[in-house]
Amino acid sequence: MSGFDKDWLALREPADRAARDERLVEGLACYLEKMERPRLLDIGCGTGSTLRSLSEHVPEETSWLLLDNDPLLLAEASRRAGTDRRIEFRVHDLADLDALPLDGVSVVTASALFDLCSERFCAALADRLAEEGCGLYAALNYDGVMRWSPQHPLDDRMTDFFNRHQRTDKGFGPALGPDATACLAGQLTSRGFTVATGESPWQLDGRTAALHAELLKGLREPLVAAGDFPETTVDEWLEFRLDAISRPGASCLVGHRDLLALPG
Ligand SMILES: C[S@@+](CC[C@H](N)C(=O)[O-])C[C@H]1O[C@@H](n2cnc3c(N)ncnc32)[C@H](O)[C@@H]1O
């Protein structure tokens, strides 16, 4: 499964929902309650996970525009949203930030997106948000931490190699990877936004074994490409980690961070 595959997005959605920092979701909801016409623009929306997670928290009259460059993911988002007239969908490549439809948008939302993006992209987006007076809710950006129990002696080194791969170009220039939230926080604070951040780690255990297994399988390609260990060492480590998933008390923490930046 790739990072944008709809089955992977479906697998991670319950863990994402459980992980979101509740204080920041409440802060977003309070901000929108003060708006006459609350409107959210969800960028890199995938199949609409952010919409489904936030809908029960934000004011009922909130309108949504969901945007992605993948028409198949957008079609799935639309299918799952049904015929709610408050929700619109648009194919748009975020490379074209000048044409980002920010008219009337109270807050731009995004989940699991900015760790794919570059510092340059975040600076350009921060400029546009400041010009238009839009807030930003950026959730579930990987922060570089993966911690397992039981441990394996190579866990930390494998995590370091994976984090190096997280900084390679994912279509937006050199990716921020684990630095995404800190970068956004700096860019937005320097433009006068009030910024709050919080932790939103996945806490994987026996109930989320399928997600844990897919996460591990997805590490193979970047770890082999890193070339720091022979393929057999990577495979032995993965075999240990996959076997350990079903052991009593086994767990994995994958660190993420959420951010809420509000104008003024
Ligand atoms: C990791 S997925 C997250 C999807 C969704 N936000 C979620 O939390 O389930 C990243 C999303 O960004 C979208 N994306 C990647 N590059 C993009 C671009 N240049 N323009 C618009 N969307 C993009 C992908 O198609 C994918 O839906």
Side-chain angles (χ1 to χ4, degrees), residues 21-126:
D21 183 296
E22 288 177 14
R23 193 178 46 95
L24 297 192
V25 173
E26 271 170 36
L28 171 65
C30 286
Y31 181 73
L32 294 175
E33 268 156 27
K34 292 182 209 134
M35 301 272 134
E36 203 172 315
R37 290 208 183 99
R39 181 165 175 79
L40 296 175
L41 168 67
D42 189 41
I43 58 175
C45 66
T47 68
S49 163
T50 310
L51 165 76
R52 287 185 290 278
S53 285
L54 296 185
S55 290
E56 66 198 55
H57 300 281
V58 299
E60 208 187 328
E61 66 274 21
T62 303
S63 68
W64 287 81
L65 176 57
L66 270 59
L67 180 152
D68 204 285
N69 67 344
D70 183 332
L72 293 178
L73 292 179
L74 267 183
E76 177 65 7
S78 168
R79 187 189 70 75
R80 293 191 63 179
T83 53
D84 190 329
R85 292 172 61 176
R86 290 165 301 181
I87 310 170
E88 301 164 82
F89 303 88
R90 190 170 306 177
V91 178
H92 181 95
D93 188 336
L94 286 167
D96 188 1
L97 268 184
D98 288 343
L100 197 63
L102 289 176
D103 265 6
V105 169
S106 322
V107 177
V108 169
T109 62
S111 304
L113 177 72
F114 287 102
D115 45 19
L116 306 170
C117 299
S118 61
E119 183 173 0
R120 195 168 162 183
F121 176 86
C122 290
L125 178 66

Side-chain angles (χ1 to χ4, degrees), residues 4 112-122 141-142 162-181 183:
F4 307 157
L113 177 72
F114 287 102
D115 45 19
L116 306 170
C117 299
S118 61
E119 183 173 0
R120 195 168 162 183
F121 176 86
C122 290
N141 290 303
Y142 174 61
F162 176 67
N163 289 348
R164 211 166 64 210
H165 175 267
Q166 287 297 96
R167 294 186 164 87
T168 58
D169 192 335
K170 310 290 187 308
F172 294 91
L176 286 159
D179 302 325
T181 304
C183 174

Side-chain angles (χ1 to χ4, degrees), residues 57-260:
H57 300 281
V58 299
E60 208 187 328
E61 66 274 21
T62 303
S63 68
W64 287 81
L65 176 57
L66 270 59
L67 180 152
D68 204 285
N69 67 344
D70 183 332
L72 293 178
L73 292 179
L74 267 183
E76 177 65 7
S78 168
R79 187 189 70 75
R80 293 191 63 179
T83 53
D84 190 329
R85 292 172 61 176
R86 290 165 301 181
I87 310 170
E88 301 164 82
F89 303 88
R90 190 170 306 177
V91 178
H92 181 95
D93 188 336
L94 286 167
D96 188 1
L97 268 184
D98 288 343
L100 197 63
L102 289 176
D103 265 6
V105 169
S106 322
V107 177
V108 169
T109 62
S111 304
L113 177 72
F114 287 102
D115 45 19
L116 306 170
C117 299
S118 61
E119 183 173 0
R120 195 168 162 183
F121 176 86
C122 290
L125 178 66
D127 280 341
R128 287 241 42 214
L129 295 175
E131 276 161 27
E132 303 286 342
C134 294
L136 179 70
Y137 168 73
L140 296 155
N141 290 303
Y142 174 61
D143 71 0
V145 176
M146 289 196 279
R147 243 185 345 253
W148 286 272
S149 176
Q151 292 176 350
H152 183 284
L154 292 183
D155 287 348
D156 288 349
R157 292 183 71 194
M158 293 296 180
T159 301
D160 287 346
F161 298 148
F162 176 67
N163 289 348
R164 211 166 64 210
H165 175 267
Q166 287 297 96
R167 294 186 164 87
T168 58
D169 192 335
K170 310 290 187 308
F172 294 91
L176 286 159
D179 302 325
T181 304
C183 174
L184 281 173
Q187 298 279 2
L188 291 158
T189 302
S190 69
R191 288 165 179 80
F193 287 76
T194 302
V195 177
T197 62
E199 296 186 356
S200 50
W202 286 352
Q203 312 266 11
L204 306 181
D205 57 19
R207 291 164 299 181
T208 44
L211 175 61
H212 192 173
E214 281 306 318
L215 168 77
L216 287 169
K217 288 178 198 164
L219 297 182
R220 185 179 189 280
E221 198 184 310
L223 290 177
V224 169
D228 296 276
F229 281 128
E231 212 167 314
T232 47
T233 309
V234 173
D235 285 334
E236 279 161 19
W237 177 76
L238 282 174
E239 203 179 314
F240 172 91
R241 290 264 53 104
L242 284 162
D243 281 350
I245 290 178
S246 55
R247 289 199 209 158
S251 68
C252 171
L253 180 143
V254 182
H256 299 101
R257 291 189 78 81
D258 296 352
L259 169 146
L260 179 64

